[in-house]
Amino acid sequence: MRIFTAILGSVTAPSFLSQLFSANDAYASSLPAFHTGHCSCSKISHRSRHSISTLKVSVSENPNQSATTTTPFSTGVFEASPDSIRQARRSADWKAARAYNDSGSIYEGRIEGFNNGGLLIRFYSLLGFLPFPQLSPSHSCKEPQKTIHDIAKGLIGSRISVKIIQVEEENRKLIFSEREAAWSKFSKRVNVGDILAGRVGSVEDYGAFVHLLFPDGLYHLTGLVHVSEVSWDLVQDIRDILSEGDEVKVKIINIDRQKSRITLSIKQLEEDPLLETLDKVIAQDGSVDPDPLAMNSSSTIEPLPGLEAIIQELLIEEGVDGVRINRQGFEKRVVSQDLQLWLSNAPPVDRKFTLLARAGRQVQEIQLTTTLDQEGIKKALQRVLERVP
């Protein structure tokens, strides 16, 4: 579909093409040095100055065609300078780049070469830049033993699906992303709750980036496993558990399609150990554990640090009639030193819901009497936690 058309002037079609492909292109001469393959061009002869045409500019959906075309027209003679012709074409191609950027369309570009920072991609008469971090993970996962420059060298001359993510004609900046193109193609194929195989990429203090394996055998998308989603055990340093190149199984727990982000979890592939041991820690029939260190009656239970303030705030929420600590127990391992609140999925009995609070090895069961449903309780808890420092 043609996006725009602009009449720029009259010039003969053969003359236009011969000037267009002149070796004295100021744009090309200003580019930094880069690695590239061999290229040869044939000279286009200029036959006549008296046949006239009008230059029209349009965006083509075919990446093999130029963004400019000529259509014979008119009856006069117009002599355009080589510089004005080149500038006209580049101006049309910058407009085409902005159109691709605005529409989010995918462009199939030819890789002309590379430098220390990324690939050089041909866009009609322009040469754009694809930073290495914007490459799809499929390349590095396919050949993990190669350096990024070795991978780039092998890509010269091939075509790549990209999106234009930045266009600044005044600064002559044209930036591409293969990751964004891959997101458009493959993000619709995954959903929250999916379990996928993955390969660990970079590992940071806050989490690990995991490349996701698709049925075609390639790793097209990348998600983040936050350090809190690595294990149910307390993790001091994520690098003690995960390293670059590790093969892992992950569960998708959130997809932000607007920001192109996938949140992953490893620990949620297993049951929460609190829920696994709850029956053993806190007797379901209400009986008291004979070991006083393992179970206390509600009359002697001291709230976990920070829990008393939360209970007081809950009591002033509309729809909450009562809050009391019912029982407490001790886990076999430390999950987190921080206070955590969990809303049990068990159905309410006589408008009584169950909250679980834990910190370190200590677990306390809280009985919440309310007219609210589960969603209402979650919202009330969120408001309370925003008020409690």
Side-chain angles (χ1 to χ4, degrees):
M1 177 183 71
R2 190 166 61 187
I3 299 178
F4 59 81
T5 297
I7 298 178
L8 301 182
S10 298
V11 65
T12 62
S15 173
F16 170 72
L17 292 174
S18 64
Q19 299 291 351
L20 184 62
F21 292 98
S22 170
N24 298 320
D25 193 333
Y27 177 80
S29 64
S30 65
L31 289 172
F34 60 89
H35 304 277
T36 183
H38 297 288
C39 177
S40 61
C41 299
S42 59
K43 183 177 181 182
I44 301 176
S45 62
H46 181 147
R47 293 187 299 171
S48 172
R49 294 174 51 192
H50 302 290
S51 59
I52 306 303
S53 64
T54 296
L55 175 61
K56 291 189 176 181
V57 181
S58 63
V59 175
S60 169
E61 291 186 345
N62 185 347
N64 296 318
Q65 296 178 357
S66 169
T68 60
T69 60
T70 60
T71 303
F73 186 68
S74 189
T75 58
V77 175
F78 177 80
E79 185 73 23
S81 67
D83 287 343
S84 65
I85 294 173
R86 284 194 296 271
Q87 182 58 38
R89 178 177 180 182
R90 271 200 298 280
S91 178
D93 291 348
W94 280 112
K95 290 180 180 178
R98 287 192 291 272
Y100 269 98
N101 183 33
D102 293 341
S103 67
S105 300
I106 295 176
Y107 175 78
E108 297 290 330
R110 185 181 186 276
I111 300 174
E112 298 285 332
F114 69 96
N115 57 27
N116 288 334
L119 302 178
L120 300 170
I121 310 295
R122 173 62 59 188
F123 182 82
Y124 302 123
S125 66
L126 308 178
L127 200 60
F129 183 65
L130 190 152
F132 285 137
Q134 290 297 330
L135 270 176
S136 162
S138 59
H139 305 289
S140 59
C141 290
K142 185 178 180 180
E143 300 177 297
Q145 74 283 359
K146 287 189 175 182
T147 66
I148 189 64
H149 291 96
D150 287 336
I151 292 173
K153 185 176 181 180
L155 291 174
I156 293 177
S158 63
R159 290 194 171 274
I160 186 172
S161 297
V162 295
K163 276 192 174 184
I164 296 178
I165 59 175
Q166 189 175 358
V167 182
E168 295 181 13
E169 182 178 0
E170 62 278 9
N171 297 321
R172 300 177 67 181
K173 183 180 290 186
L174 182 60
I175 308 299
F176 297 97
S177 172
E178 187 188 22
R179 281 183 177 268
E180 288 298 318
W183 176 269
S184 295
K185 288 183 177 181
F186 296 98
S187 63
K188 298 176 182 177
R189 304 183 188 181
V190 295
N191 297 286
V192 172
D194 288 352
I195 297 175
L196 301 172
R199 179 177 294 172
V200 177
S202 60
V203 180
E204 309 295 339
D205 291 339
Y206 53 84
F209 291 94
V210 176
H211 308 312
L212 303 178
L213 181 64
F214 280 74
D216 63 359
L218 297 177
Y219 298 81
H220 294 292
L221 301 179
T222 301
L224 174 66
V225 179
H226 190 267
V227 63
S228 63
E229 291 294 331
V230 173
S231 173
W232 290 108
D233 292 323
L234 183 63
V235 177
Q236 298 288 356
D237 188 347
I238 189 174
R239 295 174 181 84
D240 294 336
I241 301 175
L242 296 175
S243 301
E244 184 175 350
D246 287 352
E247 302 288 342
V248 294
K249 288 280 189 181
V250 291
K251 182 178 182 179
I252 297 177
I253 58 175
N254 186 57
I255 300 176
D256 188 332
R257 301 193 183 276
Q258 289 187 336
K259 295 182 178 179
S260 303
R261 294 177 182 173
I262 297 177
T263 306
L264 306 170
S265 175
I266 294 176
K267 76 177 188 181
Q268 291 193 32
L269 294 173
E270 302 175 355
E271 288 292 332
D272 181 353
L274 171 64
L275 301 180
E276 287 182 337
T277 61
L278 186 60
D279 290 349
K280 299 177 183 178
V281 173
I282 301 177
Q284 296 301 298
D285 60 3
S287 62
V288 177
D289 192 307
D291 184 354
L293 295 179
M295 182 68 66
N296 296 324
S297 65
S298 60
S299 60
T300 60
I301 296 176
E302 182 177 347
L304 292 169
L307 182 58
E308 188 171 6
I310 292 175
I311 291 175
Q312 294 302 318
E313 289 294 325
L314 272 174
L315 285 170
I316 65 176
E317 283 288 322
E318 185 177 354
V320 177
D321 299 326
V323 182
R324 66 185 293 268
I325 300 175
N326 219 22
R327 298 172 293 179
Q328 78 170 358
F330 296 88
E331 296 186 83
K332 295 180 180 179
R333 59 180 180 176
V334 174
V335 175
S336 174
Q337 296 290 358
D338 298 327
L339 177 65
Q340 296 181 339
L341 287 176
W342 301 73
L343 177 59
S344 173
N345 288 325
V349 178
D350 296 330
R351 299 191 301 115
K352 292 181 175 62
F353 285 84
T354 299
L355 291 175
L356 298 173
R358 68 179 178 187
R361 292 181 54 244
Q362 198 169 357
V363 185
Q364 293 182 348
E365 182 187 74
I366 303 167
Q367 190 176 83
L368 184 69
T369 305
T370 177
T371 57
L372 302 173
D373 57 12
Q374 281 193 338
E375 285 301 315
I377 295 173
K378 290 179 182 178
K379 292 178 180 179
L381 282 171
Q382 185 176 3
R383 291 192 295 269
V384 166
L385 295 176
E386 289 175 352
R387 297 197 299 265
V388 176

